[in-house]
Amino acid sequence: MLAKARVLRNEEIVPGCYYLQLEEWQIARGSLPGQFLHVRIVDNIAPFLRRPFSIAGAFPDSGRVDIIYRIVGKGTELLSRLGKGEYLDCLGPLGTPFSPARDIAVSVLLAGGVGIAPLLFLARILSGEGKKILVYYGASTSGELLPLKEFLPKKAEVFLATEDGSAGYRGLVTDLFESTLVAGTRRAEIFACGPKPMLKILAQKNRYWGYPMQLSLEERMACGIGACQGCAVKVRSEDDKTGYLRVCREGPVFDFQEVAW
Amino acid sequence: MANLEVNLGPLKLKNPVLAASGTFGFGEEYASFFELEKLGAVIVNSLTLKPKQGNPPPRIAETPAGMLNSIGLQNPGLEAFLEKDFPRLKSLNAAVIINIAGDTEDDYLTLARELSEINGILALELNLSCPNVKEGGIFFGNSVDVMSRLISKVRRACRLPLIVKLTPNVTDIVELAEAAESSGADILSLINTLKGMVIDVSKRSPLLGNITGGLSGPAVRPVAVRMVYEVYRSVKIPIIGMGGISNLDDALQFFLAGARAVAVGSANFIDPYTIPRLISDLQQFMESEGLHSIDEIVGAAQR
């Protein structure tokens, strides 16, 4: 659906990273973790296209929908200027959500940078279902790490990694996760979102680890609803044929085995 | 009530606002926003004989007042289309125009012949102008001789009204338009996208997976309006104008330049309600101007 969502809050929480709270009841009621909003930032032609953002939280009882975004260009820069009480043109919720297994009690959420956004929403829902939540969260430096306490259920266990070692494990979050694996680890499933190289490494390593794993992908997008075929991701079917699926429609969440890197 | 019906030669439309090929999928996605039967017609994404994978990503690059795409005609192919997509589109009560593309003359002829046998197709639009595929499309649209031969053959192979979509990436579009008319085209679509590219400075490499793509959006509108204006003077067949249309004012420029219908493309991506809004704005405009038919203003800006 297309709606004008009222801005409740739009604040920089760590340098360059913003927390946007919107009020739009139908979107709040219809959203599932993994889905996204396709946002028209200005009412003119510059920038021309909408921008997709993962939903970081949706609260059906209060009509609130959250987005967390980093300023990466003109579009997000303009978005950061939007003030409380103003309205934002949102298309959504769009895309295929995460599909957690009913019978797996441990959920590993693995995020790089602002890729944490959809996993915060997922963590809240899974925790509500009584699942154990382990969050592995990496960034290049501690200044980029979001204050997760504000967003995560209390019971979630958080493991941090920074490339410069300024907080938590020194190195990549994928290595941190790997270092915690022990033979005969209990049954768990992994949900991951972050930069493409990180997801690629994860997918490769998980061929040996063998966890059920779902990845949330990103691609340059035009329509956001499946019509233009612009946001293609290369996939490999079981009979080893390759083809393209749409990040906006069949995705953004894909099984790790599906993606042809 | 003003009458929005319009005749494009053998093609009769309930109103002159169409969805442009390549921007509207096979209609399904937009049907959740409004009833497709409101549209003058849906020109579906290019259909090829065999399934086509399309180009490697990234396929989209934003540009000033527009965008580049390099989809590469990804589509399920004729057989799957007829089995799945076409029945669904018909069940949504859409007026359907099929855009066809091929790698060879035979591809076009087979598509035209087979689609001719199907009930419920209003017209065929020949894509002779896709800038994003190597073998086909543009190859047929760049040379007057090759194009004319293809159009005459398709004309003989098919009973449906024949629209020819021309490329703007030529020195003289009027020459092509005249050749298309004399080879048997019933209608012209003007224009396809303009070939362009964006370089990712941080990577020192082309941004699009296919290196180049087709430019669309408001940025191309003045080029498209000029081409409609020039072609209108030299052919008798009707023109469907397209290129950066997102509102009434944009559409009127095309009618006044000489288009008898318009198609909306990338504006659908920004606002899925663009076309139904344009249709109702056009209706209001005609009523307030006391127009009985859009024909009264077609080409009115010609000097």
Side-chain angles (χ1 to χ4, degrees), chain A residues 202-240:
Chain A
L202 265 181
Q204 285 165 349
K205 294 197 168 186
N206 196 46
R207 293 199 180 277
Y208 302 100
W209 302 338
Y211 289 105
M213 184 162 93
Q214 294 168 34
L215 310 174
S216 175
L217 303 186
E218 221 179 10
E219 188 51 69
R220 286 170 186 270
M221 203 174 272
C223 74
I225 58 173
C228 76
Q229 316 273 358
C231 55
V233 58
K234 195 170 196 182
V235 293
R236 180 171 281 118
S237 61
E238 279 169 23
D239 52 0
D240 212 35

Side-chain angles (χ1 to χ4, degrees), chain A residues 181-186:
Chain A
L181 290 177
V182 285
T185 300
R186 62 204 151 166

Side-chain angles (χ1 to χ4, degrees), chain A residues 2 4 37-45 47-51 53 79 82 87-91, chain B residues 246 267 269-271 274 277:
Chain A
L2 189 62
K4 296 273 186 199
L37 294 184
H38 209 25
V39 171
R40 186 176 182 186
I41 292 169
V42 291
D43 197 19
N44 58 42
I45 50 176
F48 183 61
L49 295 171
R50 286 175 180 269
R51 298 285 187 275
F53 296 102
L79 183 61
L82 201 66
Y87 285 84
L88 186 62
D89 181 320
C90 296
L91 190 59
Chain B
S246 61
F269 303 157
I270 317 307
D271 183 348
T274 304
R277 187 183 309 114

Side-chain angles (χ1 to χ4, degrees), chain B:
Chain B
M1 281 263 281
N3 184 5
L4 286 178
E5 274 179 26
V6 63
N7 288 316
L8 305 178
L11 175 62
K12 188 173 178 163
L13 301 175
K14 71 187 97 165
N15 71 62
V17 186
L18 294 76
S21 178
T23 65
F24 213 75
F26 293 135
E28 181 195 8
E29 291 82 9
Y30 288 93
S32 61
F33 295 96
F34 57 87
E35 309 213 343
L36 297 187
E37 62 185 313
K38 286 187 176 170
L39 307 188
V42 172
I43 311 178
V44 299
N45 280 2
S46 279
L47 185 66
T48 52
L49 198 51
K50 300 283 175 224
K52 215 167 173 73
Q53 280 208 351
N55 289 329
R59 292 176 173 184
I60 302 287
E62 192 174 53
T63 62
M67 59 179 283
L68 289 173
N69 86 79
S70 65
I71 309 302
L73 305 184
Q74 179 175 344
N75 80 95
L78 178 66
E79 199 181 323
F81 172 78
L82 289 179
E83 202 169 296
K84 211 180 84 189
D85 306 287
F86 183 64
R88 199 162 43 202
L89 194 49
K90 289 309 295 176
S91 75
L92 297 168
N93 296 317
V96 182
I97 294 173
I98 312 253
N99 179 295
I100 61 174
D103 293 339
T104 64
E105 243 179 40
D106 276 349
D107 284 1
Y108 281 99
L109 292 175
T110 311
L111 281 162
R113 229 177 262 126
E114 299 213 3
L115 291 168
S116 244
E117 302 302 312
I118 309 292
N119 281 324
I121 298 173
L122 280 191
L124 295 186
E125 181 179 65
L126 288 193
N127 181 358
L128 304 180
S129 46
C130 177
N132 292 326
V133 290
K134 285 191 196 79
E135 308 85 356
I138 194 75
F139 170 76
F140 295 99
N142 266 340
S143 136
V144 168
D145 294 343
V146 177
M147 184 189 76
S148 300
R149 199 177 67 182
L150 178 67
I151 295 173
S152 334
K153 284 189 176 174
V154 173
R155 177 68 289 168
R156 285 194 295 273
C158 142
R159 58 171 183 84
L160 293 166
L162 198 57
I163 306 167
V164 172
K165 188 167 184 174
L166 297 179
T167 176
N169 303 309
V170 290
T171 312
D172 182 7
I173 197 165
V174 172
E175 189 190 10
L176 283 176
E178 288 170 344
E181 179 180 41
S182 61
S183 316
D186 297 307
I187 302 159
L188 297 174
S189 275
L190 300 177
I191 58 175
N192 207 320
T193 55
L194 286 144
K195 192 170 179 177
M197 79 185 285
V198 168
I199 288 175
D200 182 336
V201 173
S202 69
K203 291 182 181 156
R204 300 189 178 190
S205 106
L207 190 147
L208 292 172
N210 187 51
I211 299 174
T212 62
L215 181 66
S216 63
V220 311
R221 194 192 315 127
V223 177
V225 170
R226 185 267 294 179
M227 287 183 164
V228 170
Y229 185 92
E230 288 180 355
V231 168
Y232 178 79
R233 310 162 82 92
S234 55
V235 302
K236 292 193 177 63
I237 53 177
I239 298 167
I240 303 171
M242 64 199 75
I245 296 174
S246 61
N247 58 41
L248 177 65
D249 199 75
D250 301 342
L252 290 175
Q253 290 197 45
F254 280 87
F255 289 122
L256 294 167
R260 202 175 285 170
V262 295
V264 174
S266 38
N268 294 314
F269 303 157
I270 317 307
D271 183 348
Y273 294 102
T274 304
I275 301 181
R277 187 183 309 114
L278 176 51
I279 293 168
S280 88
D281 287 352
L282 186 61
Q283 175 101 44
Q284 273 183 26
F285 169 81
M286 289 173 64
E287 277 158 25
S288 71
E289 296 283 314
L291 300 177
H292 301 290
S293 152
I294 198 70
D295 288 338
E296 292 172 41
I297 62 163
V298 171
Q302 290 284 340
R303 292 288 178 274

Side-chain angles (χ1 to χ4, degrees), chain A residues 92-114:
Chain A
L94 300 171
T96 304
F98 288 110
S99 52
R102 273 179 197 285
D103 56 343
I104 301 182
V106 180
S107 306
V108 174
L109 312 187
L110 237 153
V114 78

Side-chain angles (χ1 to χ4, degrees), chain A residues 12-179:
Chain A
E12 194 169 23
I13 40 173
V14 298
C17 204
Y18 281 72
Y19 183 29
L20 172 63
Q21 292 183 345
L22 300 165
E23 185 185 56
E24 214 301 315
W25 287 85
Q26 264 186 286
I27 293 176
R29 285 178 183 145
S31 297
L32 293 167
Q35 291 189 297
F36 68 96
L37 294 184
H38 209 25
V39 171
R40 186 176 182 186
I41 292 169
V42 291
D43 197 19
N44 58 42
I45 50 176
F48 183 61
L49 295 171
R50 286 175 180 269
R51 298 285 187 275
F53 296 102
S54 287
I55 298 168
F59 305 85
D61 297 336
S62 64
R64 203 182 97 200
V65 187
D66 294 352
I67 283 172
I68 291 172
Y69 62 95
R70 209 160 60 84
I71 295 187
V72 293
K74 186 77 185 154
T76 40
E77 201 272 313
L78 287 170
L79 183 61
S80 74
R81 295 190 207 168
L82 201 66
K84 187 176 169 180
E86 293 190 79
Y87 285 84
L88 186 62
D89 181 320
C90 296
L91 190 59
L94 300 171
T96 304
F98 288 110
S99 52
R102 273 179 197 285
D103 56 343
I104 301 182
V106 180
S107 306
V108 174
L109 312 187
L110 237 153
V114 78
I116 190 76
L119 302 179
L120 297 174
F121 187 9
L122 182 65
R124 204 168 47 77
I125 300 298
L126 293 180
S127 178
E129 292 170 3
K131 295 193 178 183
K132 186 177 172 68
I133 311 290
L134 305 174
V135 179
Y136 291 81
Y137 176 37
S140 50
T141 182
S142 62
E144 289 177 7
L145 291 168
L146 297 174
L148 289 194
K149 272 207 181 114
E150 193 180 331
F151 303 102
L152 282 175
K154 282 195 185 67
K155 285 181 291 182
E157 292 176 43
V158 178
F159 306 90
L160 299 177
T162 52
E163 285 172 49
D164 66 0
S166 52
Y169 175 87
R170 182 192 198 101
L172 298 173
V173 68
T174 45
D175 293 337
L176 167 64
F177 175 68
E178 192 169 26
S179 72

